[in-house]
Amino acid sequence: TLVELLIVIVVIAILAAIVTVAYNGVSQNAHLTVLKSDLSNNATLLGTYIIDNGTYPASQSAANLKASPNVNLTYSPGLGNTSYCLQGTTYSSTYYVTSTNNVPTAGSCPLSISPVVAYNFNAGTGTTITDNSGNGNTLTFGSPSTWSAGGHTGYALNGGGSGGIGAYIAGSTPNPSPAITLMGWVDPTGADTTDKRVLFGYFDSSTNTYFAIFQNRNDWGTNGVLQVDARISGTLYELDYPALAVGTWVHLAATYDGSNIILYVNGVQAASLAISGTLMTINSIDIGAGAEALIDDVRVYAAALSASQITSLMNTPV
């Protein structure tokens, strides 16, 4: 009868739902088992690496990680490559291991890496800018750069526009090569394309670029766009992104891990360029030279941080 047919259909639907839930549970457990196995196996390989080399790998490419299908691994070395955190994700599960704990732990890598330099620009007065990392890399103001009370958090550096030399370190800084993360908040105050406008980066004494983010660069590469420039194995490479909108704070981060230059905008990967080689020895930092922008909370790390680590820092003022 029709009633009996409806009952049969309902029973079949219930059984199908039970089977689907059971299958999904088994499948998720299987993926999780593979993820944990990959993390444990790579932790063993990294343990062998430091025994053979005295330090952990400086970058993800050097780590030569082994990942199963559908497993994404992110390797983050600590300062001086004396520690690491390895994060793995498969479908909806994320676990990590560290140099001090090789048991896979649920969640994302905790950020335990200290910055090479960090500047919050909150003094609001004076001709020098304290290095909030504690490493003593004080910046010196160069005219016409000024303080601005309208920072992302507290005060900010105002680049001052054309002809400015920004805030710079007179001398060498700790060298973040071969892996690096350069990041900071930027609020463009103009969009002129007739000059070179440095947001933050590393240069030598002759102002040759080593690793930097430019608001605009009219003397090399593509004019009228945001540029990340990196000197790798003696050659300068360019990664482009559309020009920033005037009057809007945006967080920019650029990384290099030995294989890829990556630009993150507001914590999200926005552009990348696959280039393998050695990041050239970095000399001195400059912030805001010629920039038409307010600049705040600039940090540099001697590691290529992950998107989740960058997002965490982005939401945590210096």
Side-chain angles (χ1 to χ4, degrees):
T1 66
L2 181 58
V3 173
E4 291 172 329
L5 180 60
L6 290 173
I7 292 173
V8 170
I9 292 174
V10 170
V11 170
I12 291 174
I14 292 173
L15 291 174
I18 293 172
V19 170
T20 299
V21 170
Y23 173 79
N24 288 340
V26 171
S27 178
Q28 185 171 351
N29 287 336
H31 292 313
L32 189 55
T33 298
V34 171
L35 172 61
K36 290 180 177 181
S37 177
D38 279 2
L39 288 172
S40 297
N41 290 339
N42 281 289
T44 299
L45 293 175
L46 290 168
T48 301
Y49 188 99
I50 193 171
I51 291 172
D52 293 341
N53 299 278
T55 62
Y56 290 106
S59 65
Q60 181 148 334
S61 59
N64 194 26
L65 303 175
K66 310 297 182 184
S68 300
N70 302 315
V71 172
N72 180 51
L73 297 177
T74 302
Y75 171 79
S76 299
L79 192 62
N81 305 319
T82 57
S83 62
Y84 75 85
C85 184
L86 178 62
Q87 180 176 307
T89 301
T90 182
Y91 296 97
S92 59
S93 298
T94 300
Y95 279 70
Y96 69 91
V97 292
T98 69
S99 49
T100 57
N101 181 17
N102 61 7
V103 177
T105 303
S108 300
C109 274
L111 184 63
S112 58
I113 305 169
S114 300
V116 174
V117 297
Y119 304 102
N120 63 21
F121 303 103
N122 284 345
T125 185
T127 59
T128 59
I129 301 168
T130 300
D131 177 9
N132 301 108
S133 74
N135 292 326
N137 295 293
T138 302
L139 293 177
T140 299
F141 257 119
S143 177
S145 296
T146 60
W147 297 97
S148 172
H152 185 263
T153 52
Y155 279 80
L157 170 73
N158 187 334
S162 295
I165 58 175
Y168 60 94
I169 293 176
S172 298
T173 60
N175 189 356
S177 176
I180 186 173
T181 298
L182 178 66
M183 66 170 68
W185 283 99
V186 175
D187 180 10
T189 58
D192 182 78
T193 60
T194 61
D195 205 349
K196 180 170 68 173
R197 307 192 183 283
V198 177
L199 293 176
F200 27 80
Y202 281 83
F203 305 84
D204 68 12
S205 58
S206 300
T207 71
N208 294 311
T209 306
Y210 279 64
F211 193 79
I213 303 178
F214 290 81
Q215 180 182 8
N216 179 78
R217 187 164 189 177
N218 71 328
D219 64 333
W220 186 82
T222 305
N223 193 22
V225 299
L226 181 80
Q227 282 191 44
V228 179
D229 292 346
R231 193 173 300 276
I232 299 169
S233 299
T235 300
L236 189 61
Y237 293 93
E238 168 191 6
L239 175 61
D240 292 340
Y241 183 76
L244 300 178
V246 174
T248 301
W249 281 102
V250 60
H251 189 270
L252 302 174
T255 68
Y256 183 67
D257 66 355
S259 298
N260 295 279
I261 306 168
I262 301 177
L263 172 68
Y264 296 87
V265 178
N266 292 328
V268 178
Q269 182 173 326
S272 64
L273 179 64
I275 296 292
S276 295
T278 302
L279 188 65
M280 298 296 287
T281 300
I282 291 171
N283 289 60
S284 186
I285 195 169
D286 192 296
I287 301 174
E292 290 187 310
L294 305 182
I295 301 171
D296 203 358
D297 283 351
V298 173
R299 285 174 268 213
V300 180
Y301 289 83
L305 301 185
S306 66
S308 61
Q309 291 172 322
I310 290 170
T311 300
S312 176
L313 289 166
M314 177 183 77
N315 294 319
T316 307
V318 173

